[in-house]
């Protein structure tokens, strides 16, 4: 069987392929939907250039709303091939297939090579609108915004000065990761040339402003600042605080913080995470905290010794950031016990801790010796020790405690409390000359009493470990004392005038701890019988309900806590209830057992609110 003759491949007429993409899409190797104009050109602002060579289609005049802005220079709307640097000695390109292939490869080499770039930003880069060959942030937060437009939302100079001073008065003492003199120098440089400021530092400035605005009460704002806020047309301080937080995130996005970062980037992230933890919930910081952790490693914040080429200020700034990373991670270790973060305990080494000195003690070439008095870093140093203990306790709580372990943990917590007393109190009394040290002592005591409740709670019921009556009575009394202490700490921050600057602390985590203390107090009082005098504790419970009702306007946790505490109040004092009720033994046992058996009493979003709502509603 013979094969039919075939025409040699070399002598076949070459079939001309009709272009199926418009010229700009072909040049940039982008997908084209073959519309007229195509969606890609509309998105990239290249509608006038959208044409199909060798076809009957011709360039289309764009609709007025699709046209690029008339304010842009036409030279900014050039194709990649047109913005290449010409060679002065280059000869004219020959025509033909070879030249077409050469032009095609030139277009490939000149297009943006970052596969994660967002198309609108790629188009801006191709049109010459992004300076210095800036690469794109991997996630899309919206259209690109110029630095001038971002800076235009800042408050006037005097208001900005006031808010920054309030930050270092209200927030920095509790989470001291910024070196004050360095921030002051950076701020002075910014005032001299705002447009030349690094975007990472601008993000830090917006973060500081956002954080402090969340701490202010309406009567904390002077008249001049009130007029400025009215001009911004925001109904509340929290509204503009939210807007400034968005501006900070926008600055980080525009600065491509995932692929280029500095200490200012890390400082902004840590303060942002601290604010989210206290105002919105620790569980919302997990992913961003991991990013900050990796950035800290990239910036060598976990070095044990100072490199010879690095000054002491930069070295201590890194160590403070590392301490902030550990503190924020420990919140996660305590709250999410099903997530193993034990590797963090190994990183809490004294060699990695910042120097326990004031900002003024740190200079580029030396650090003064630590003082015997409390410093700006004392709070962080004690928190690192306490959270290391907290992490060990919470890991151990995954299995039932025995009496020996309970006694051991009791002694460790008490030893930490003794050190706080020696550091922050004068003759056993709070100092009237140092308000920050008093706030530090109260906050540390809050964590200690929270830990007391966690370790003694299993021993409060008859089904507790060992079931010993004497141990049960001791643990119940310990929980009554610690529960009342948590309510008292909340009262101090809400009512005492010299703690006014820290009143913002009651809106989030402190009220969450107060709720835990109130439920523990009520549960153990309901378990008590005999001649136990509960009048002092009942008065403290009643006062806490009035306080929580006053706070609930700015505290989501208090909104949820109020009906629960009112129900417990009726159970504790049925004779004072608006509607006479009879508290049954079954209902009392249900409340006590629910508190004793519910593990996550450290975050309002991890509390089983449905169960407590069923208790409030009672039997159907």
């Amino acid at each position: 069987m013979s094969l039919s003759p075939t025409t040699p491949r070399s002598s076949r007429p070459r079939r001309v392929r009709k272009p199926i993409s418009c010229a700009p899409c072909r040049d940039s190797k982008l997908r084209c939907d073959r519309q007229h104009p195509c969606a890609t050109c509309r998105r990239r602002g290249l509608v006038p250039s959208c044409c199909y060579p060798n076809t009957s289609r011709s360039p289309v005049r764009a609709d007025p709303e699709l046209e690029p802005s008339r304010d842009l220079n036409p030279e900014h709307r050039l194709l990649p091939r047109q913005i290449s640097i010409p060679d002065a000695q280059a000869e004219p390109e020959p025509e033909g297939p070879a030249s077409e292939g050469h032009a095609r490869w030139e277009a490939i080499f000149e297009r943006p090579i970052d596969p994660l770039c967002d198309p609108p930003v790629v188009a801006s880069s191709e049109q010459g609108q992004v300076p210095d060959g800036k690469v794109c942030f991997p996630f899309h937060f919206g259209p690109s915004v110029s630095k001038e437009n971002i800076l235009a939302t800042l408050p006037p100079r005097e208001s900005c000065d006031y808010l920054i001073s309030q930050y270092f008065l209200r927030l920095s003492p509790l989470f001291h990761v910024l070196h004050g003199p360095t921030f002051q120098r950076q701020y002075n440089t910014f005032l001299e040339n705002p447009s030349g400021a690094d975007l990472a530092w601008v993000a830090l400035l917006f973060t500081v402003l956002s954080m402090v605005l969340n701490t202010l009460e309406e009567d904390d704002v002077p008249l001049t600042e009130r007029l400025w806020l009215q001009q911004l047309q925001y109904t509340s301080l929290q509204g503009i605080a939210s807007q400034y937080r968005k501006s900070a995130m926008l600055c980080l996005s525009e600065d491509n913080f995932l692929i280029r970062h500095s200490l200012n980037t890390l400082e902004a992230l840590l303060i942002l995470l601290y604010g989210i933890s206290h105002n919105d919930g620790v569980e919302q910081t997990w992913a961003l905290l991991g990013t900050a952790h990796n950035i800290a490693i990239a910036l060598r914040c976990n070095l044990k010794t100072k490199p010879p080429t690095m000054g002491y200020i930069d070295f201590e700034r890194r160590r403070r950031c590392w301490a902030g990373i550990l503190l924020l991670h420990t919140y996660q270790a305590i709250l999410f016990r099903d997530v193993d973060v034990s590797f963090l305990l190994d990183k809490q080494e004294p060699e990695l801790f910042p120097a326990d000195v004031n900002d003024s003690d740190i200079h580029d070439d030396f650090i003064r010796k630590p003082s015997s008095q409390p410093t700006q870093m004392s709070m962080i140093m004690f928190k690192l020790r306490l959270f290391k203990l907290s992490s060990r306790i919470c890991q151990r709580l995954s299995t039932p405690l025995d009496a020996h372990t309970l006694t051991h943990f009791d002694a460790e917590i008490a030893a930490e409390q003794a050190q706080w007393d020696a550091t922050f109190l004068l003759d056993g009394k709070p100092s009237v000359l140092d308000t920050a040290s008093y706030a530090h002592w109260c906050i540390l005591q809050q964590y200690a009493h929270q830990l007391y409740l966690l370790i003694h709670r299993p021993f409060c019921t008859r089904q507790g470990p060992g079931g010993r009556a004497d141990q049960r009575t001791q643990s119940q009394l310990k929980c009554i004392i610690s529960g009342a202490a948590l309510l008292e700490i909340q009262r101090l921050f809400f009512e005492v005038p010299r703690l006014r600057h820290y009143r913002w602390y009651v809106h989030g985590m402190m009220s969450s701890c107060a709720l835990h203390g109130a439920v523990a107090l009520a549960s153990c009082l309901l378990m008590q019988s005999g001649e136990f005098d509960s009048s002092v504790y009942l008065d403290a419970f009643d006062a806490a309900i009035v306080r929580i009702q006053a706070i609930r306007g700015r505290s989501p946790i208090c909104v949820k806590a109020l009906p629960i505490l009112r129900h417990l109040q009726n159970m504790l004092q049925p004779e004072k209830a608006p509607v006479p009720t009879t508290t049954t033994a079954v209902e009392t046992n249900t409340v006590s057992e629910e508190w004793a058996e519910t593990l996550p009493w450290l975050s309002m979003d991890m509390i089983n609110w449905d169960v407590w709502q069923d208790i409030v509603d009672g039997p159907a």
Side-chain angles (χ1 to χ4, degrees):
M1 179 171 145
S2 62
L3 298 175
S4 59
T6 59
T7 305
R9 183 179 299 272
S10 60
S11 62
R12 291 182 185 174
R14 184 174 180 179
R15 180 167 59 90
V16 179
R17 295 179 59 187
K18 294 183 179 181
I20 59 176
S21 300
C22 67
C25 291
R26 289 186 64 200
D27 290 335
S28 296
K29 303 300 178 187
L30 298 176
R31 184 182 299 276
C32 181
D33 62 6
R34 309 174 202 174
Q35 299 301 313
H36 204 199
C38 70
T40 303
C41 286
R42 289 200 302 269
R43 185 173 63 249
R44 300 169 68 202
L46 300 177
V47 172
S49 304
C50 184
C51 61
Y52 296 80
N54 301 325
T55 68
S56 58
R57 297 181 180 180
S58 59
V60 183
R61 183 66 179 173
D63 293 337
E65 56 223 21
L66 295 177
E67 276 194 330
S69 173
R70 300 179 186 274
D71 295 334
L72 296 178
N73 190 324
E75 295 178 358
H76 291 174
R77 295 196 299 270
L78 300 176
L79 298 179
R81 181 183 310 180
Q82 294 172 295
I83 64 173
S84 60
I85 301 176
D87 187 354
Q89 300 179 353
E91 298 180 359
E93 293 185 3
E95 298 182 359
S99 64
E100 291 179 3
H102 177 73
R104 181 168 60 86
W105 285 108
E106 283 295 316
I108 292 175
F109 286 131
E110 290 182 14
R111 66 192 290 259
I113 61 174
D114 187 356
L116 298 177
C117 275
D118 204 54
V121 185
V122 173
S124 299
S125 178
E126 291 174 349
Q127 298 172 36
Q129 298 172 13
V130 180
D132 303 328
K134 174 182 169 184
V135 291
C136 302
F137 176 69
F139 305 115
H140 178 56
F141 282 169
S144 181
V145 180
S146 67
K147 184 190 296 184
E148 290 73 17
N149 289 338
I150 297 175
L151 295 177
T153 63
L154 284 172
R157 163 71 185 275
E158 293 77 9
S159 300
C160 203
D161 292 349
Y162 170 76
L163 294 175
I164 291 174
S165 67
Q166 292 300 303
Y167 172 83
F168 282 93
L169 179 65
R170 298 165 179 265
L171 279 148
S172 187
L174 305 184
F175 190 66
H176 197 69
V177 295
L178 291 183
H179 182 248
T182 297
F183 184 88
Q184 176 72 67
R185 285 192 291 269
Q186 292 173 329
Y187 181 58
N188 293 340
T189 303
F190 168 76
L191 293 177
E192 294 174 1
N193 182 20
S195 60
D198 183 70
L199 274 174
W201 190 86
V202 177
L204 175 60
L205 176 60
F206 273 110
T207 304
V208 166
L209 298 179
S210 171
M211 281 289 294
V212 75
L213 281 167
N214 263 323
T215 70
L216 295 178
E217 304 285 344
E218 294 297 333
D219 53 353
D220 287 331
V221 184
L223 178 60
T224 54
E225 275 65 42
R226 290 183 191 176
L227 295 176
W228 160 67
L229 292 171
Q230 290 173 4
Q231 293 175 358
L232 294 179
Q233 298 181 349
Y234 280 94
T235 58
S236 66
L237 296 174
Q238 288 68 47
I240 189 171
S242 176
Q243 182 58 46
Y244 278 177
R245 190 167 81 175
K246 292 178 182 177
S247 296
M249 298 177 71
L250 178 61
C251 288
L252 293 175
S253 171
E254 292 292 322
D255 199 43
N256 307 316
F257 78 97
L258 288 187
I259 50 180
R260 49 170 289 185
H261 25 257
S262 64
L263 281 177
N264 288 330
T265 306
L266 184 56
E267 289 166 345
L269 286 174
L270 294 181
I271 296 173
L272 183 68
L273 287 165
Y274 181 77
I276 295 174
S277 296
H278 281 272
N279 297 322
D280 304 309
V282 176
E283 67 286 343
Q284 298 188 27
T285 66
W286 184 257
L288 193 56
L289 179 55
T291 301
H293 187 190
N294 290 329
I295 290 177
I297 294 174
L299 294 174
R300 300 189 299 168
C301 294
N302 57 338
L303 292 179
K304 293 185 178 180
T305 58
K306 183 184 76 67
T309 57
M310 185 182 296
Y312 279 100
I313 291 179
D314 281 346
F315 184 59
E316 285 302 314
R317 288 177 66 195
R318 283 171 166 80
R319 286 197 165 198
R320 289 183 177 188
C321 287
W322 190 251
I325 290 285
L326 295 179
L327 292 181
L328 293 170
H329 258 108
T330 311
Y331 290 151
Q332 305 288 345
I334 294 174
L335 296 180
F336 299 100
R337 300 182 204 163
D338 56 337
V339 178
D340 183 12
V341 290
S342 57
F343 69 96
L344 289 171
L345 298 179
D346 300 331
K347 298 183 180 182
Q348 294 191 24
E349 304 174 11
E351 295 84 0
L352 296 175
F353 289 178
D356 189 8
V357 296
N358 293 316
D359 288 350
S360 57
D361 296 328
I362 307 174
H363 301 268
D364 263 333
D365 51 349
F366 72 96
I367 299 179
R368 291 194 179 98
K369 292 184 178 180
S371 169
S372 59
Q373 300 299 316
T375 69
Q376 292 171 303
M377 295 304 298
S378 297
M379 177 68 163
I380 282 186
M381 304 298 288
F382 280 123
K383 267 193 171 183
L384 287 171
R385 290 170 49 88
L386 177 63
F387 286 159
K388 189 171 184 178
L389 173 60
S390 302
S391 300
R392 288 196 290 110
I393 289 176
C394 290
Q395 284 184 331
R396 181 62 180 82
L397 288 176
S398 58
T399 56
L401 296 181
D402 53 64
H404 175 73
T405 305
L406 175 67
T407 303
H408 175 72
F409 282 148
D410 253 336
E412 284 200 73
I413 299 171
E416 293 294 325
Q417 288 179 298
Q419 291 196 41
W420 307 336
D421 293 348
T423 303
F424 296 120
L425 301 183
L426 183 63
D427 298 330
K429 301 292 180 61
S431 171
V432 295
L433 305 178
D434 185 4
T435 303
S437 66
Y438 186 27
H440 293 165
W441 182 82
C442 290
I443 291 174
L444 291 171
Q445 292 291 341
Q446 169 190 263
Y447 291 120
H449 288 292
Q450 183 82 325
L451 291 177
Y452 280 133
L453 292 182
L454 291 178
I455 62 176
H456 281 275
R457 181 181 55 191
F459 294 85
C460 288
T461 62
R462 295 182 182 276
Q463 294 77 23
R468 290 170 41 192
D470 57 339
Q471 181 62 68
R472 182 167 62 251
T473 301
Q474 292 177 15
S475 291
Q476 288 176 2
L477 290 176
K478 187 66 176 179
C479 288
I480 288 174
I481 294 172
S482 290
L486 290 174
L487 295 181
E488 174 63 10
I489 292 171
Q490 186 200 40
R491 185 194 71 81
L492 291 174
F493 275 74
F494 185 70
E495 295 180 359
V496 173
R498 59 181 167 145
L499 291 177
R500 176 185 177 87
H501 294 314
Y502 308 100
R503 184 181 293 177
W504 63 271
Y505 210 80
V506 304
H507 300 149
M509 191 172 294
M510 181 167 285
S511 287
S512 178
C513 292
L515 171 61
H516 185 198
V519 172
L521 175 62
S523 299
C524 291
L525 288 177
L526 290 171
M527 296 179 196
Q528 290 293 315
S529 60
E531 299 180 356
F532 179 77
D533 184 9
S534 61
S535 58
V536 175
Y537 300 109
L538 292 175
D539 291 342
F541 193 92
D542 294 342
I545 291 180
V546 175
R547 187 167 56 249
I548 286 174
Q549 184 172 5
I551 300 172
R552 63 176 179 169
R554 292 187 60 179
S555 175
I557 180 66
C558 290
V559 173
K560 292 185 176 182
L562 189 59
I564 296 173
L565 298 185
R566 281 176 173 164
H567 180 75
L568 293 176
Q569 184 184 40
N570 293 338
M571 295 177 64
L572 289 169
Q573 305 175 75
E575 69 280 0
K576 294 184 180 180
V579 179
T581 58
T582 301
T583 303
T584 64
V586 174
E587 187 179 21
T588 300
N589 291 338
T590 301
V591 170
S592 302
E593 291 174 1
E594 178 57 32
W595 168 70
E597 296 176 3
T598 303
L599 290 178
W601 268 105
L602 287 153
S603 171
M604 70 175 199
D605 287 323
M606 300 185 69
I607 297 173
N608 192 340
W609 295 104
D610 292 336
V611 172
W612 285 98
Q613 188 60 48
D614 291 341
I615 294 175
V616 172
D617 294 339

